[in-house]
């Protein structure tokens, strides 16, 4: 059995993503994508691959967070796991000191699209420098910069 360090769930050996929370249990190799067509377009692809794997790179930290988004993911400082929800606890990234709320923002998967929504957080959420009003969804693109309070992270959509 492989125990998830994020939620404590016991997974079968050989499982790459936790069956309960979706966090990667082992390092997931990522491939470099070839640029195709017009590279002058700002931003990367807004299409999420069929596996729904998303990589978050918190600024100033070496280890990325890799998660398989099945339906929705809550970003914040909580580890509560509810049915159908995954909570990514950003406490190890000094989230409290950076003004991240317990349930700060939500990621919602809709087929091959991924949306970010602020959950009425105390210190706000921004996408590529633009503030997102509470309860308003914004579609994410590969390479987008997300700010939760003052915690900067980058999102990479795998194909």
């Amino acid at each position: 059995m492989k125990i998830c360090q994020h939620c404590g769930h016991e997974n079968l050996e050989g499982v790459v993503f936790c069956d309960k929370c979706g966090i990667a249990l082992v390092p997931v190799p990522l491939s470099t994508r070839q640029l195709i067509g017009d590279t002058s377009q700002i931003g990367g692809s807004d299409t999420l691959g069929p596996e729904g794997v998303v990589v978050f790179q918190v600024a100033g930290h070496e280890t990325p967070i890799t998660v398989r988004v099945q339906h929705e993911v809550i970003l914040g400082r909580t580890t509560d796991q509810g049915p159908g929800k995954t909570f990514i606890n950003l406490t190890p990234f000094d989230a409290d000191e950076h003004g991240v709320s317990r349930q700060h923002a939500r990621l919602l998967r809709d087929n091959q699209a991924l949306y970010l929504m602020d959950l009425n957080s105390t210190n706000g959420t921004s996408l590529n420098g633009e503030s997102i009003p509470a309860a308003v969804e914004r579609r994410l693109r590969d390479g987008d910069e997300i700010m939760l309070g003052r915690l900067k992270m980058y999102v990479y959509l795998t194909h």
Side-chain angles (χ1 to χ4, degrees):
M1 295 299 251
K2 180 87 172 168
I3 301 201
C4 177
Q5 293 184 353
H6 185 74
C7 72
H9 180 73
E10 291 184 6
N11 294 277
L12 295 174
E13 286 295 329
V15 171
V16 176
F17 295 95
C18 177
D19 290 331
K20 184 174 181 183
C21 73
I23 297 289
L25 299 172
V26 297
V28 177
L30 299 174
S31 62
T32 302
R33 290 184 289 281
Q34 180 178 3
L35 296 175
I36 299 172
D38 182 12
T39 58
S40 64
Q41 178 183 353
I42 297 173
S45 171
D46 64 356
T47 303
L48 186 61
E51 293 295 317
V53 176
V54 179
V55 177
F56 297 98
Q57 184 67 56
V58 179
H61 294 270
E62 198 171 300
T63 306
I65 302 166
T66 305
V67 63
R68 182 175 56 194
V69 180
Q70 294 178 14
H71 180 61
E72 72 175 340
V73 172
I74 305 297
L75 300 169
R77 295 183 291 115
T78 185
T79 57
D80 296 335
Q81 299 295 325
K85 288 188 181 177
T86 295
F87 289 87
I88 295 181
N89 181 10
L90 296 169
T91 301
F93 301 95
D94 302 320
D96 193 27
E97 293 82 8
H98 286 91
V100 177
S101 297
R102 284 183 182 86
Q103 292 189 22
H104 196 103
R106 176 181 87 156
L107 297 171
L108 177 66
R109 179 180 177 183
D110 183 17
N111 294 317
Q112 291 183 307
L114 189 65
Y115 296 90
L116 175 68
M117 181 176 79
D118 182 80
L119 296 174
N120 201 25
S121 64
T122 301
N123 294 302
T125 301
S126 66
L127 176 62
N128 298 321
E130 182 181 326
S131 182
I132 300 176
V136 174
E137 293 179 349
R138 293 282 192 258
R139 188 163 180 170
L140 293 177
R141 301 181 71 83
D142 188 59
D144 278 348
E145 177 189 278
I146 298 172
M147 291 279 287
L148 306 178
R150 292 180 317 279
L151 183 69
K152 182 187 297 187
M153 45 198 287
Y154 298 92
V155 60
Y156 299 99
L157 309 179
T158 63
H159 301 286

